[in-house]
């Protein structure tokens, strides 16, 4: 068979009807066919392609057919129709897949960020791990112990200040924001720590102090000499050298907030120690300096900041006296922060605008996929909880991801179910809609919860911390139940306790207890620790508790794993169930999710029997998933008689599709409402 061109048209020669082709198909050779009796080739009678289709008599396509013949077959219905069906089927499936994808994206709740999922663990670097034997913890020591965070399934670590500092306030008096104090290592040590943390999937949160510097900072030395660029970097005012009190403002550490500087011949403001002069953040140049410092550390790769003492960042420019709490008290006896209403030294107009500027810088660095930069603010506002809530920002303008919630620090004041519920609700009922809560039960400024509330409540408090909605913050050592140390006047290191040992914060800063060996494993090279190790270290330490399934550490690990693996804890409703003299009870549930969790915690002084028979949404029998008293694990209670000892907490898991929150909306909260579609295992907005 052959084709030829004729006047620009392709024509099919009559060899298409060569009977030899049939023979070839039937098994004969093409050579025999070509040499058969037909002898000579017929003259080519050209037929146009449209006529060729009529004259072509071979029914089946064959291997090696030319394109023109293939096209003749492809136009037949038996080939064309299936092809078109497949084409449109693929188109419809693609469109359906796109539509389903768009629907899922539109209906899915926002993804949780890393700081929603993991607890935040506070490391006080002086006390965590000493790597060089000088008795003070350091950055290399933290690096040695990174696996401890992984063992606890903690992915966010906040490290208290390690900037270059004279250490008048243990790092909160910064001499150089761009350098590491030699006590803790050097910049290379920091960079190696950061790389290793990121390699292990850990996030590093730094402490940042925008309110003040050390009096040894280069800015202050230039400002006191009236350098044209730096003269207004701090808050200066004229005063009498013999009586340096321009007004009645009092520092956090007591006595006047003003100190006379002989070099400049004026007084400078310090809301903390006199070695910590306040920056003048009404000066745009100072604000830009702070932004440059934030950018410096973000460029290095840190994952977030804890902004220290933010409510003190601005003060009233008029410098008027603040109102006294007791108007009849002689002015000369006004010496503590509790003697004044701080109308002119805290939470001034313009503060939140400045914090939003810091937030905008961090958002610029958050554009890199998977590198969200976190910001939390610290502000002790006590009964003025509405001021604390302002740090969340507005529905249109974001500020901090959350302000620290310190209200659970007051739990030891009244260990009862009512008080626990009151402190939780103080935050939940005032928090703006849709925001994310957080909980703190200890830090470097407040007594350890095991000492202030009592050792028997440590497990129950950890249980509450890890099952409430939001992000828990754990101060180092709380996961093993460390307690305060007792110190003598000669052992005091904290400036706040130099003149009154009862005000010292040293007791809650003792070295971390790693094992039963010398110095609790904190310093294995010498017999030197900057503060004494607690005498309980032989039994209260990480190594011992890792081997005990019923230890404080093991229960902490279990609860954190439960929190991160079960959707009702991260995505579900939080509902108050009961509070009385002894017991605080609440539940966590998620629409569409069969399993829900009931917490029953006894904060009272003795045993209690809780009757929840009025809660119709609960099944009659309840099985304990975990008790802080391991003897009660897997125990079954009737809901009318749930028994707990003082300091005992229960996590009860039950199965039902009957939800509590629809019938009790005033008792329930959810940050972002979502439902669970169990058949396909996805979350959706509902």
């Amino acid at each position: 068979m052959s084709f030829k061109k004729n006047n620009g048209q392709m024509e099919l020669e009559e060899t298409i009807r060569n009977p030899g082709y049939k023979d070839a198909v039937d098994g004969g050779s093409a050579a025999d066919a070509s040499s058969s009796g037909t002898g000579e080739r017929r003259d080519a009678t050209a037929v146009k392609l449209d006529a060729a289709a009529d004259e072509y008599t071979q029914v089946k396509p064959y291997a090696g057919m030319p394109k023109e013949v293939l096209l003749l077959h492809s136009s037949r219905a038996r080939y064309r129709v299936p092809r078109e069906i497949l084409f449109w089927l693929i188109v419809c499936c693609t469109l359906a897949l796109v539509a389903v994808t768009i629907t899922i994206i539109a209906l899915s709740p926002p993804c949780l960020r890393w700081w929603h999922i993991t607890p935040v663990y506070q490391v006080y670097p002086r006390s965590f791990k000493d790597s060089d034997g000088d008795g003070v913890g350091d950055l290399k020591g933290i690096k040695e112990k990174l696996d401890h965070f992984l063992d606890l399934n903690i992915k966010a670590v906040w490290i208290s200040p390690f900037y270059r500092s004279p250490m008048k306030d243990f790092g909160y008096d910064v001499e150089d924001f761009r350098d590491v104090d030699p006590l803790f290592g050097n910049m290379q040590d920091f960079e190696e720590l950061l790389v290793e943390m990121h390699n292990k999937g850990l996030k590093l949160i730094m402490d940042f102090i925008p309110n003040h510097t050390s009096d040894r900072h280069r800015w202050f030395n230039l400002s006191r000499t009236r350098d044209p660029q730096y003269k207004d970097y701090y808050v200066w005012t004229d005063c009498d050298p013999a009586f340096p009190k321009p007004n009645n403002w009092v520092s956090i550490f007591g006595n006047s907030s003003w100190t006379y500087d002989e070099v400049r011949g004026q007084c400078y403001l310090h809301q903390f120690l006199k070695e910590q002069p306040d920056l003048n953040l009404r000066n745009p140049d100072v604000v830009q300096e702070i932004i440059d410092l934030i950018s410096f550390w973000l460029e290095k790769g840190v994952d977030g900041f804890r902004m220290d003492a933010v409510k003190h960042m601005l003060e009233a420019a008029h410098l008027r006296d603040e109102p006294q709490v007791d108007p009849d008290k002689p002015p000369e006896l006004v010496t503590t922060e509790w003697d004044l209403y701080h109308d002119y030294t805290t939470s001034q107009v313009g503060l939140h605008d400045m914090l939003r500027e810091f937030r905008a810088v961090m958002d610029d660095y958050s554009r890199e996929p998977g590198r969200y930069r976190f910001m939390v603010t610290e502000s002790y506002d006590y009964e003025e909880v509405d001021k604390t809530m302002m740090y969340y920002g507005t529905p249109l303008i974001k500020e901090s991801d959350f302000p620290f919630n310190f209200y659970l620090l007051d739990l030891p004041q009244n260990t009862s179910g009512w008080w626990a519920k009151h402190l939780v609700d103080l935050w939940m009922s005032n928090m703006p809609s849709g925001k994310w809560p957080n909980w703190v039960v200890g830090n470097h400024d407040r007594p350890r919860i095991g000492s202030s509330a009592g050792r028997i409540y440590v497990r129950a408090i950890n249980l509450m911390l890890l099952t409430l909605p939001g992000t828990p913050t754990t101060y180092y050592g709380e996961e093993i139940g460390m307690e305060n140390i007792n110190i003598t006047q000669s052992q005091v290191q904290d400036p706040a306790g130099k003149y009154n040992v009862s005000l010292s914060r040293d007791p809650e800063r003792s070295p971390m207890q790693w094992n039963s060996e010398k110095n609790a494993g904190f310093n294995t090279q010498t017999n030197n620790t900057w503060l004494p190790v607690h005498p309980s270290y032989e039994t209260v330490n990480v190594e011992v508790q890792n081997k005990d399934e019923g230890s404080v550490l093991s229960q902490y690990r279990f609860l954190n794993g439960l929190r991160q693996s079960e959707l009702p804890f991260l995505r579900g409703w939080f509902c108050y169930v009961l509070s009385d003299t002894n017991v605080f009870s609440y539940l966590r549930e998620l629409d569409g999710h069969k399993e829900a969790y009931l917490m029953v915690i006894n904060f009272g002084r003795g045993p209690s029997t809780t009757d929840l028979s009025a809660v119709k949404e609960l099944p009659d029998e309840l099985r304990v998933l975990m008790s802080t008293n391991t003897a009660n694990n897997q125990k079954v209670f009737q809901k009318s008689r749930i028994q707990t000892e003082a300091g005992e907490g229960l996590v009860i898991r039950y199965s039902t599709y009957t939800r509590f929150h629809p019938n009790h909306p005033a008792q329930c909260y959810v940050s972002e409402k979502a439902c669970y579609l169990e058949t396909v295992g996805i979350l959706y907005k509902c």
Side-chain angles (χ1 to χ4, degrees), residues 198-393:
H198 286 169
N199 288 341
K200 292 178 179 290
L202 300 171
K203 305 292 185 181
L204 190 154
I205 302 167
M206 285 183 62
D207 234 318
F208 190 78
I209 304 96
N211 178 69
H212 51 264
T213 70
S214 165
D215 60 353
R216 295 188 188 179
H217 196 288
R218 183 177 66 90
W219 298 344
F220 187 74
N221 288 323
L222 290 168
S223 184
R224 68 197 305 212
T225 59
R226 299 182 186 265
D227 181 281
Q229 181 179 347
Y230 296 95
K231 64 178 181 179
D232 294 327
Y233 265 45
Y234 295 83
V235 181
W236 297 94
T237 191
D238 293 329
C239 62
D240 182 353
F243 188 72
K245 291 182 66 174
N247 56 32
N248 71 344
W249 295 359
V250 175
S251 96
I252 300 301
F253 290 104
N255 298 315
S256 176
S257 290
W258 299 94
T259 293
Y260 180 74
D261 180 67
E262 294 183 355
V263 174
R264 176 144 173 163
Q266 285 185 307
C267 284
Y268 64 87
L269 175 70
H270 54 88
Q271 295 197 61
F272 292 85
L273 295 173
K274 66 181 179 64
E275 293 87 0
Q276 295 170 289
D278 275 35
L279 286 164
N280 177 17
L281 287 161
R282 296 191 182 279
N283 182 341
D285 292 338
V286 177
V287 175
Q288 187 57 52
E289 294 272 17
I290 297 298
I291 289 173
D292 291 344
L293 292 171
I294 292 172
S295 299
F296 172 82
W297 290 103
L298 292 176
E299 287 284 348
K300 286 191 172 292
V302 301
D303 300 288
F305 291 106
R306 174 248 191 201
M307 296 291 181
D308 178 68
V310 291
K311 74 176 185 179
H312 299 281
M313 286 168 56
L314 289 176
E315 48 283 318
H318 54 64
L319 305 184
R320 296 173 189 159
D321 281 356
E322 291 188 312
Q324 292 184 196
V325 173
D326 179 3
D328 298 326
K329 191 170 188 176
E332 61 273 14
L333 298 182
V334 175
T335 58
T336 74
E337 62 172 321
W338 311 111
D339 292 330
L340 299 172
Y341 293 110
H342 299 286
D343 295 345
Y344 305 141
T345 55
T346 63
S347 306
Q348 298 298 294
V349 174
L351 166 64
H352 294 281
D353 293 331
M354 192 179 308
L355 290 171
R356 289 164 193 164
E357 283 190 65
F358 300 165
R359 174 74 260 177
V361 174
M362 300 186 70
D363 285 344
D364 286 341
Y365 285 87
S366 297
R367 292 173 182 170
E368 183 182 348
R371 291 302 309 277
Y372 182 84
R373 309 305 175 97
F374 167 76
M375 186 173 107
V376 57
T377 47
E378 182 226 28
S379 179
Y380 286 92
D381 292 302
Y382 306 102
E383 69 278 0
E384 296 180 301
V385 65
D386 55 316
K387 289 186 177 180
T388 303
M389 296 303 164
M390 293 179 69
Y391 294 103
Y392 275 113

Side-chain angles (χ1 to χ4, degrees), residues 381-595:
D381 292 302
Y382 306 102
E383 69 278 0
E384 296 180 301
V385 65
D386 55 316
K387 289 186 177 180
T388 303
M389 296 303 164
M390 293 179 69
Y391 294 103
Y392 275 113
T394 71
L396 298 178
I397 305 177
K398 187 177 179 181
E399 200 165 315
S400 62
D401 290 297
F402 54 70
F404 266 140
N405 170 10
F406 296 117
Y407 291 99
L408 288 185
L409 292 170
D410 293 334
L411 195 61
Q413 293 181 13
N414 180 359
T415 49
S416 70
W418 281 320
W419 182 242
K421 193 235 175 166
H422 165 72
L423 295 177
V424 171
D425 195 55
L426 190 62
W427 192 269
M428 301 302 289
S429 61
N430 286 283
M431 186 176 63
S433 176
K435 296 300 183 181
W436 189 259
N438 74 101
W439 312 95
V440 176
V441 296
N443 62 28
H444 60 287
D445 288 330
R446 301 294 290 268
R448 290 190 177 275
I449 202 75
S451 296
S452 56
R455 187 184 307 173
I456 67 168
Y457 298 103
V458 168
R459 296 168 184 257
I461 291 171
N462 278 341
L463 187 151
M464 181 172 69
L465 180 73
L466 293 164
T467 56
L468 287 172
T471 299
T473 297
T474 292
Y475 182 51
Y476 82 95
E478 286 175 357
E479 73 274 26
I480 58 174
M482 281 179 60
E483 299 177 67
N484 286 359
I485 58 170
N486 294 319
I487 57 170
T488 63
Q489 185 70 55
S490 62
Q491 294 172 317
V492 170
Q493 302 288 327
D494 181 21
K498 288 292 185 181
Y499 303 104
N500 184 347
V501 69
S502 66
L503 299 178
S504 174
R505 297 164 295 178
D506 292 329
E508 57 263 28
R509 299 176 178 181
S510 62
M512 179 66 176
Q513 295 160 207
W514 294 107
N515 54 44
S516 304
E517 299 175 6
K518 180 178 66 175
N519 300 323
F522 167 73
N523 176 6
T524 59
Q525 300 180 40
T526 64
N527 194 25
N528 182 25
T529 59
W530 79 285
L531 282 173
V533 175
H534 197 285
S536 69
Y537 77 92
E538 292 186 352
T539 56
V540 180
N541 66 66
V542 173
E543 185 177 82
V544 166
Q545 293 195 15
N546 265 328
K547 299 173 183 177
D548 179 3
E549 293 184 358
S551 68
V552 176
L553 180 65
S554 295
Q555 290 185 352
Y556 183 100
R557 184 186 296 113
F558 173 83
L559 289 165
N560 189 30
L562 185 71
R563 175 185 177 274
Q564 296 188 41
S565 63
E566 294 297 313
L567 284 172
F569 288 105
L570 288 176
R571 293 284 195 174
W573 290 85
F574 164 75
C575 298
Y576 302 114
V577 175
L578 178 143
S579 60
D580 59 23
T581 305
N582 293 320
V583 169
F584 175 39
S585 178
Y586 53 93
L587 59 80
R588 307 300 309 277
E589 63 183 16
L590 177 65
D591 290 310
H593 197 282
K594 189 175 183 180
E595 291 184 335

